Amino acid sequence: MIEIVGGTLIALGIAVLLVMGIRRPKRDSPLNIKQPPPQPPPIPRSALEDLIWAEENDLPLPADHTAHERDRKWQQVQAALEKRRRWLRPFGVFGRLATYAVLFVLLYAYWPEDISHKPFASLTLSDLLGTAAAVAIGIGLMRALFEPSDEDDIKDAWGWVGVGIVGLAAFAVFYFSPQR
């Protein structure tokens, strides 16, 4: 039973690290040489003169309905996202803190044996690497705990992790409660 719980917690930690890493901004490599964007074809001289004449004489320009529609749809999408974020953010805070608490408990449970009292000659490479990996994981968890991301997509992902944790907890309560 304890092996199943340990494996589940390790899988949860890996999933959290994947969620954190998915939305990292991709940096351009300095090795990639970008071509300049293609230039539009030159405007013929007669069309340019007509356009200048139309502006000087205050003739009405045709209305651009597509830009107005695009702006309206963008505002509707942003309003829907903000409405979803309002109820998702508290779950995100809970999910992030609960996940880090579980990961810290898991790190404490699987902490390697103390190497400070062993003679240096009896240390093995696995002892040294195990301790170094545990310390690096602890530092990484502390950094992730105290420096959360400000990106909305990552906050939304943490919200869904929190919803999943609450859902699993509710399922566990109903599943393991005694039948009456």
Side-chain angles (χ1 to χ4, degrees):
M1 175 71 177
I2 196 73
E3 292 87 12
I4 294 172
V5 172
T8 304
L9 293 177
I10 290 172
L12 176 65
I14 291 171
V16 167
L17 292 176
L18 286 176
V19 165
M20 289 171 37
I22 284 174
R23 292 293 182 172
R24 293 275 181 206
K26 304 290 188 245
R27 294 185 182 150
D28 291 336
S29 171
L31 299 176
N32 292 342
I33 300 174
K34 293 187 177 182
Q35 298 293 332
Q39 298 295 325
I43 299 174
R45 182 82 179 148
S46 61
L48 187 59
E49 289 172 357
D50 291 340
L51 183 61
I52 292 172
W53 180 82
E55 286 180 359
E56 289 174 355
N57 292 317
D58 293 331
L59 292 176
L61 297 173
D64 187 11
H65 296 294
T66 58
H68 177 67
E69 286 294 317
R70 192 175 16 187
D71 289 342
R72 188 177 59 80
K73 287 180 183 178
W74 183 80
Q75 289 173 352
Q76 288 175 346
V77 167
Q78 291 302 318
L81 285 175
E82 189 60 35
K83 185 185 286 186
R84 183 180 76 184
R85 286 184 181 130
R86 236 181 322 201
W87 70 267
L88 203 55
R89 292 298 160 90
F91 285 107
V93 171
F94 168 74
R96 191 172 72 83
L97 294 177
T99 302
Y100 285 131
V102 167
L103 290 176
F104 277 115
V105 168
L106 185 65
L107 181 65
Y108 177 76
Y110 288 105
W111 192 264
E113 64 184 53
D114 186 19
I115 63 170
S116 64
H117 301 296
K118 280 186 169 183
F120 188 69
S122 67
L123 290 177
T124 62
L125 187 60
S126 65
D127 291 337
L128 294 174
L129 291 180
T131 302
V135 168
I137 290 170
I139 290 172
L141 283 175
M142 290 294 283
R143 182 176 173 268
L145 177 66
F146 290 113
E147 294 178 13
S149 176
D150 291 333
E151 294 180 29
D152 288 334
D153 293 337
I154 292 178
K155 288 181 179 181
D156 289 348
W158 276 116
W160 288 113
V161 168
V163 168
I165 290 172
V166 169
L168 285 174
F171 175 75
V173 165
F174 287 122
Y175 184 75
F176 292 115
S177 66
Q179 301 294 328
R180 296 178 190 195

